[in-house]
Amino acid sequence: MTEAILSGNEAIARGAWEAGVEVAAAYPGTPSTEILENVSQYPEIYAEWSANEKVALDVAIGAAYAGRRAMAAMKHVGLNVASESLFYSSYTGVNAGLVIINADDPGLHSSQNEQDNRHYARFAKVPMLEPSDSQEAKEMVGAALDLSEQFDTPVIVRTTTRTSHAKSVVTLEERRVYEKRPYEKNPRKYVMIPGFARQRHPVVEERMLRLAEYAESCPYNRVEMGDTALGIVTCGPSYQYAREVFPQASFLKLGMVWPLPEKLLRDFAAKVERLIVVEELDPFFEEHIRALGIPVEGKSIFPLVGEFTPDVVRQAAYVAGLIQEPPVPRAFDKGDLPMRPPVLCAGCGHRDVFWSLRKLKVAVNSDIGCYALGVMPPIGATDTIGCMGASIGVATGMRRGGLEKDNVAVIGDSTFFHAGLPALASAVYNQTPITVVIVDNRTTGMTGHQGNPGSGLTLRGEGGQRIDIEAVVRAIGVDHVRTVHSNQRSELEQALREAIKHDAPSVVIAETPCIFVSAHLREPYVVVEEDCNGCTLCMRIGCPAILKSEKLDEKSGRPLAFIDATACTGCGLCFDVCARQAILEGALKTDTTSSVEAMA
Ligand SMILES: Cc1ncc(C[n+]2csc(CCOP(=O)(O)OP(=O)(O)O)c2C)c(N)n1
């Protein structure tokens, strides 16, 4: 028997391979991104980054219709984007198995909201499984595909950040090979016009009843009897924490989190004196159990907000008098560490854009990507950020809503293809005179440098076609388009001024490949100590390569600036802002070739 220590995401990829998945599609998003990155290592699976989660799910649905086992993966908010497809596929059902991996992010490690996507299973009337370690994560992919074929339904496997990223031991098995199922044209099943969809709804309801029956004996719904004074219903990583905090208690660990096993819940509740639910985020089980008429406690004890840890569960249990011992104070706590706020990398072209926008004193409707950091001090240029693709629509609305000053939408290349295109088309169609700055760093930087249609790099790094953003924008009907290199600041500023003045939709494409995807060939800048007076102007660009020196200016007593040569990429923004010309290009400067060209 071979064993390996895998993260939940690695285990899911392995589970897909073992369970005979042949098509997998995703759009990156923390904490789900590594699933497809790992799937791409298995040559038997066609794997792609799609332009967004809805496309990814449609691709997986199509593959399942055609007769091959398929998987789509996304973060929790990705399922919002893909929800239309989730709902229709619930009605059509599948042919070969279809599993949707949904990764929730309690604690908002990397998201704009906390969202408990167990609700989606209930809402879309599909089953959902939830693992609590990597072994279960791997197994549940196969189990979900089996269920999908048995009940003719998409099946969601929900993870959370902890299950996705924590590592534990997994038993590896061989790949199971399945015959391709033949596809047969069947419009009454696969064409969701009202007349046919109406007939599918009762099928879905009947399927949920059969699934609820199955949940009673699902091997992942496990009763572990201990002391009957306390019974705990739980799932996912909360199960691991509750096991640590209440080692003596009885447990009903739900691996199938929707539909819920009514009889099993009643039987378990009848065996214990006090029933509590330990679940992260919403009182999903708790409300359902209470609706069955069973007395239960949950959110009156444990937090509704934020990620659980063993200490969070222990503290809440202690306050409620369920245990006698509070959490043991740790040698050092997270709170003892100095804050390290996220910051744009040294040399990032996004900084030039935000610096210019701040100078122009415009309102900035930003989008989600590394450039979301444009809101952080000291630049602080951003007014709004909502969700992926919202920048252009919100900018349009603010323009139409009578905003008293000029405003500009800022959106990255990946986000532009994800959800920016329809918003720009809408602005062009309605001739709203907004300015959109597409910050094109030729990668999906925020999630770890995945390819996208604008970079042309596919998940496997081969065979892709780069889509020219300028050509797309012009084809949509934007007649005022300027492409500039973000590091060429006077041109950038000029282009921004002209675009803002333009009385129809205008686009500035600010290009600078991310410093992680293209070598920047320029030498670091240096501070000339005798010319620096410690005024801190250069520090207001928020570059992590600029530090305070231990040396002080003789007159003012202020620390001089110092440039960390190992971090500086020679972008020169500090050179531009220094009023005293106390910053100079490095002596070794050799090549200023545009790195856009260098990448091409
Ligand atoms: C619906 C949704 N899917 C995925 C994500 C994760 N995510 C955040 S920003 C981003 C894209 C960033 O790429 P880009 O717009 O090119 O900007 P960059 O980070 O490269 O500057 C992704 C995939 C998300 N926040 N929301």
Side-chain angles (χ1 to χ4, degrees):
M1 192 167 51
T2 317
E3 291 184 330
I5 298 176
L6 300 182
S7 70
N9 283 347
E10 290 167 335
I12 287 168
R14 175 77 191 193
W17 179 80
E18 288 182 6
V21 165
E22 293 187 74
V23 175
Y27 182 72
T30 310
S32 71
T33 310
E34 303 81 14
I35 297 172
L36 258 272
E37 288 175 338
N38 280 281
V39 164
S40 74
Q41 293 163 16
Y42 299 110
E44 295 89 347
I45 306 178
Y46 167 78
E48 72 166 42
W49 289 131
S50 304
N52 68 29
E53 293 86 352
K54 176 172 166 38
V55 176
L57 182 49
D58 289 329
V59 168
I61 290 169
Y65 285 173
R68 297 207 190 283
R69 286 192 155 194
M71 177 168 88
M74 59 205 66
K75 69 180 290 171
H76 63 311
V77 284
L79 195 55
N80 298 340
V81 176
S83 59
E84 278 254 271
S85 303
L86 171 66
F87 278 73
Y88 83 72
S89 64
S90 170
Y91 270 37
T92 65
V94 296
N95 177 20
L98 170 64
V99 60
I100 302 164
I101 313 292
N102 160 91
D104 280 10
D105 186 17
L108 300 102
H109 294 277
S110 190
S111 306
Q112 71 265 34
N113 69 351
E114 282 188 302
Q115 192 177 295
D116 189 332
N117 277 7
R118 288 177 297 174
H119 294 290
Y120 266 119
R122 184 175 184 180
F123 195 12
K125 300 177 193 276
V126 297
M128 179 181 269
L129 306 179
E130 179 165 352
S132 49
D133 60 22
S134 297
Q135 176 68 30
E136 279 192 346
K138 189 202 77 160
E139 281 177 26
M140 282 185 179
V141 176
L145 288 159
D146 291 346
L147 274 183
S148 170
E149 289 170 1
Q150 189 184 341
F151 289 90
D152 191 16
T153 177
V155 179
I156 304 175
V157 172
R158 173 193 189 238
T159 68
T160 58
T161 305
R162 281 310 129 186
T163 352
S164 281
H165 288 169
K167 293 196 170 192
S168 58
V169 177
V170 175
T171 307
L172 304 181
E173 287 164 49
E174 288 308 310
R175 178 166 164 89
R176 301 183 287 284
V177 179
Y178 296 84
E179 285 268 294
K180 180 182 174 306
R181 294 181 166 215
Y183 166 72
E184 280 165 26
K185 182 166 175 164
N186 184 354
R188 288 187 177 274
K189 181 168 174 357
Y190 296 124
V191 177
M192 286 304 96
I193 55 173
F196 295 162
R198 213 169 279 132
Q199 290 164 21
R200 292 296 299 175
H201 191 179
V203 175
V204 170
E205 297 302 339
E206 189 270 337
R207 178 181 77 201
M208 287 316 288
L209 294 178
R210 284 190 292 122
L211 278 159
E213 190 54 40
Y214 168 83
E216 303 289 351
S217 58
C218 170
Y220 294 111
N221 290 340
R222 203 167 65 221
V223 174
E224 298 166 0
M225 287 314 286
D227 187 342
T228 54
L230 186 66
I232 298 175
V233 180
T234 184
C235 71
S238 302
Y239 163 75
Q240 311 282 11
Y241 310 150
R243 265 261 158 245
E244 256 184 76
V245 175
F246 307 101
Q248 315 296 339
S250 294
F251 279 81
L252 171 53
K253 180 202 182 292
L254 294 172
M256 186 166 189
V257 298
W258 190 258
L260 292 175
E262 185 178 328
K263 188 168 170 308
L264 195 59
L265 283 164
R266 285 191 192 284
D267 289 351
F268 181 70
K271 284 189 196 138
V272 297
E273 286 163 40
R274 185 173 180 185
L275 186 69
I276 64 169
V277 179
V278 182
E279 58 188 331
E280 250 171 352
L281 300 181
D282 291 348
F284 185 77
F285 296 157
E286 184 186 346
E287 284 175 357
H288 190 84
I289 294 169
R290 194 166 293 126
L292 294 175
I294 301 169
V296 64
E297 298 156 274
K299 291 298 160 187
S300 56
I301 303 169
F302 303 102
L304 177 69
V305 172
E307 188 182 26
F308 281 6
T309 62
D311 278 358
V312 167
V313 175
R314 195 180 296 281
Q315 176 66 23
Y318 173 70
V319 170
L322 288 167
I323 56 170
Q324 305 316 315
E325 298 293 324
V328 181
R330 303 195 176 262
F332 73 79
D333 201 66
K334 259 199 321 202
D336 300 335
L337 296 170
M339 283 283 288
R340 286 205 330 155
V343 62
L344 289 170
C345 302
C348 176
H350 298 342
R351 179 178 288 105
D352 302 293
V353 171
F354 285 112
W355 185 253
S356 303
L357 291 175
R358 205 177 85 144
K359 273 168 82 178
L360 296 175
K361 297 192 169 45
V362 290
V364 176
N365 302 115
S366 181
D367 222 296
I368 302 196
C370 291
Y371 46 89
L373 293 170
V375 71
M376 302 298 282
I379 293 190
T382 303
D383 289 64
T384 64
I385 292 182
C387 66
M388 284 190 73
S391 59
I392 301 176
V394 171
T396 304
M398 286 183 89
R399 197 86 318 271
R400 293 291 183 188
L403 185 69
E404 291 75 10
K405 57 181 185 172
D406 291 325
N407 66 327
V408 164
V410 177
I411 188 165
D413 46 336
S414 189
T415 306
F416 178 66
F417 286 107
H418 176 281
L421 270 165
L424 183 59
S426 188
V428 172
Y429 161 51
N430 292 297
Q431 282 298 292
T432 305
I434 54 159
T435 298
V436 177
V437 183
I438 302 175
V439 284
D440 179 9
N441 61 1
R442 298 284 166 85
T443 191
T444 312
M446 192 170 212
T447 43
H449 311 107
Q450 293 76 28
N452 67 57
S455 74
L457 277 180
T458 63
L459 178 55
R460 290 193 201 280
E462 61 198 22
Q465 161 85 42
R466 181 175 168 255
I467 301 177
D468 181 344
I469 295 179
E470 181 169 336
V472 169
V473 169
R474 286 193 189 281
I476 283 181
V478 181
D479 56 15
H480 186 104
V481 187
R482 299 284 179 275
T483 298
V484 286
H485 195 284
S486 335
N487 285 167
Q488 279 156 11
R489 281 165 286 276
S490 48
E491 279 177 35
L492 171 68
E493 239 177 85
Q494 177 70 8
L496 289 170
R497 276 183 212 283
E498 284 170 13
I500 292 165
K501 256 197 245 139
H502 193 69
D503 58 2
S506 56
V507 169
V508 174
I509 301 170
E511 286 183 328
T512 294
C514 170
I515 54 161
F516 285 102
V517 297
S518 162
H520 287 229
L521 304 170
R522 295 157 300 190
E523 291 299 325
Y525 279 71
V526 288
V527 175
V528 183
E529 287 178 357
E530 44 280 21
D531 294 335
C532 175
N533 68 351
C535 75
T536 72
L537 198 55
C538 58
M539 290 175 193
R540 288 177 216 174
I541 63 171
C543 175
I546 304 179
L547 310 168
K548 283 185 179 165
S549 163
E550 282 171 0
K551 295 184 188 151
L552 304 179
D553 175 50
E554 276 172 18
K555 265 202 209 139
S556 64
R558 292 181 298 221
L560 304 182
F562 167 76
I563 295 176
D564 177 355
T566 58
C568 176
T569 65
C571 78
L573 180 57
C574 56
F575 170 83
D576 280 5
V577 302
C578 178
R580 297 173 62 87
Q581 286 156 356
I583 293 177
L584 288 185
E585 292 173 88
L588 299 172
K589 182 173 183 299
T590 50
D591 190 343
T592 49
T593 316
S594 149
S595 28
V596 177
E597 286 163 28
M599 247 222 9

